[in-house]
Each structure stands twice: as C-alpha cells, then as structure tokens.
Amino acid sequence: MFERLVPKLRVNTVFDIGLEELYSRGYRGIITDLDNTLVGAKAPLATPELLLWFEKVKELGFKLIIVSNNNMDRVSRFATPLNIEFVHQARKPINTPFVKAMKLMDLKPEQTIVVGDQMLTDVLGGNRLGLYTVLVLPISVKDEGIGTRINRRVEQIALTRLRKQGLWHEEDKPQ
C-alpha cells in the first residue's frame, strides 16, 4: 500500500522539473495541483517566474490543467485570467478528477504527468492510474488548512514505513 505513495520524481519546485526530457519521453500533458505546488495556499495570483514557466510548458507542446481540491472561487480566480482549464473540488486521490483532466487534454495515462506537493492526494491519485508522478516541496506550509495538516502528519508516518522498507532514500531528496 505504501508503495503507491512514492513519486517517480522528487524536486524542490516545478521549476526543477526537466520538461524537455519528459517531453522527449512521450509525455504531453501536465496535471498540476494549485495550492503549495504552483503558489502558496493564500497567494491569489501567479508569480512572474510561474508565468514564465507556464509559457515554457506551452512552448514545449505540453497541455496543462489544474486539478485542485480547493473550491471553485479559489481555483477560478487563479486559472481563468491565465486561460488554464481546471477541475475544482476534485476530492483527490479519487480517480475521477484525473480521468476528467486526461479527457479534457485528450491524453492517455502514459502521456500524463501529475505534479503536486502531497503524497496522499497528488502522488497516490496519479500512481493509482499509472501516471508519472512528481512530488514538489510545499511552498508555504504555514498557510495550509487543517485537512492538509492532518495529511502531512499521515505522510510522516508513511515516510517512516517507506524508509524502513527501503523505498524512500534521503539521497533522492531535493536540496
């Protein structure tokens, strides 16, 4: 069970993802979380650096969609001005929002990357469908809600088990 919490790649931020390499390996779409993955949980808009990253994603030929457990107002205010499609109140890690996102991008699991900051939502949901999962460090833990804080505690328990099983190596940890 804990194996499903292990991402294919661990990086500090979305900016550290080797987009060119992933595109050359056949990936064509990115499903990304919003809060604490792209911006802090309370940041209303994209940073200039993130806007450049979005441009790079599109220039390389990737399709991009935001899948967030947050509400319509939060996700829409962020995504709509950027002309980015989104799925809100996703209830990750259930399969439905990931499948919906792939349909919107007209892609198959083997062409799809999931990027997020939580093992219990983003990584578990992506791994269950055979997507390429990327775990980033959370941007602003202090701004997280109670549900995410509970998830973080469960993640720590899972990490202890994964380390004992030899499935999580600190040398893989982003600096």
Side-chain angles (χ1 to χ4, degrees):
M1 158 41 195
F2 288 106
E3 299 83 23
R4 288 187 171 181
L5 297 176
V6 179
K8 304 285 187 293
L9 177 66
R10 293 160 52 195
V11 294
N12 286 327
T13 72
V14 295
F15 312 115
D16 301 317
I17 299 169
L19 295 172
E20 294 90 350
E21 180 199 343
L22 291 171
Y23 193 86
S24 73
R25 290 170 46 192
Y27 294 101
R28 297 295 181 262
I30 299 172
I31 296 171
T32 183
D33 179 44
L34 172 57
D35 295 322
N36 275 335
T37 298
L38 297 176
V39 294
K42 292 187 177 177
L45 303 171
T47 63
E49 186 181 22
L50 186 59
L51 293 174
L52 290 174
W53 186 78
F54 287 146
E55 282 181 32
K56 181 179 179 182
V57 165
K58 290 178 183 176
E59 283 174 10
L60 286 170
F62 282 103
K63 296 176 183 179
L64 178 78
I65 188 166
I66 295 171
V67 174
S68 173
N69 285 348
N70 214 323
N71 63 51
M72 172 73 163
D73 187 51
R74 162 66 175 147
V75 184
S76 176
R77 282 187 185 187
F78 181 89
T80 301
L82 302 171
N83 201 27
I84 296 174
E85 288 189 279
F86 62 89
V87 177
H88 66 284
Q89 292 178 323
R91 297 180 26 228
K92 294 179 288 184
I94 66 170
N95 292 350
T96 309
F98 296 101
V99 171
K100 180 177 181 179
M102 285 187 290
K103 280 185 181 173
L104 287 169
M105 294 188 292
D106 193 28
L107 295 174
K108 298 175 182 166
E110 60 271 16
Q111 298 174 295
T112 308
I113 301 162
V114 174
V115 180
D117 68 299
Q118 291 189 62
M119 295 164 58
L120 292 177
T121 57
D122 309 301
V123 174
L124 177 59
N127 281 346
R128 287 172 47 194
L129 289 169
L131 311 180
Y132 186 89
T133 51
V134 179
L135 182 67
V136 300
L137 296 176
I139 292 171
S140 181
V141 177
K142 66 179 175 30
D143 291 337
E144 293 179 334
I146 187 71
T148 303
R149 290 180 187 189
I150 292 168
N151 280 354
R152 298 271 186 230
R153 289 181 188 234
V154 175
E155 285 180 358
Q156 289 306 312
I157 295 166
L159 281 171
T160 300
R161 294 265 175 107
L162 288 167
R163 287 182 186 110
K164 285 181 183 176
Q165 294 174 359
L167 298 171
W168 193 273
H169 305 282
E170 293 310 311
E171 60 269 15
D172 297 337
K173 183 180 175 192
Q175 298 302 319

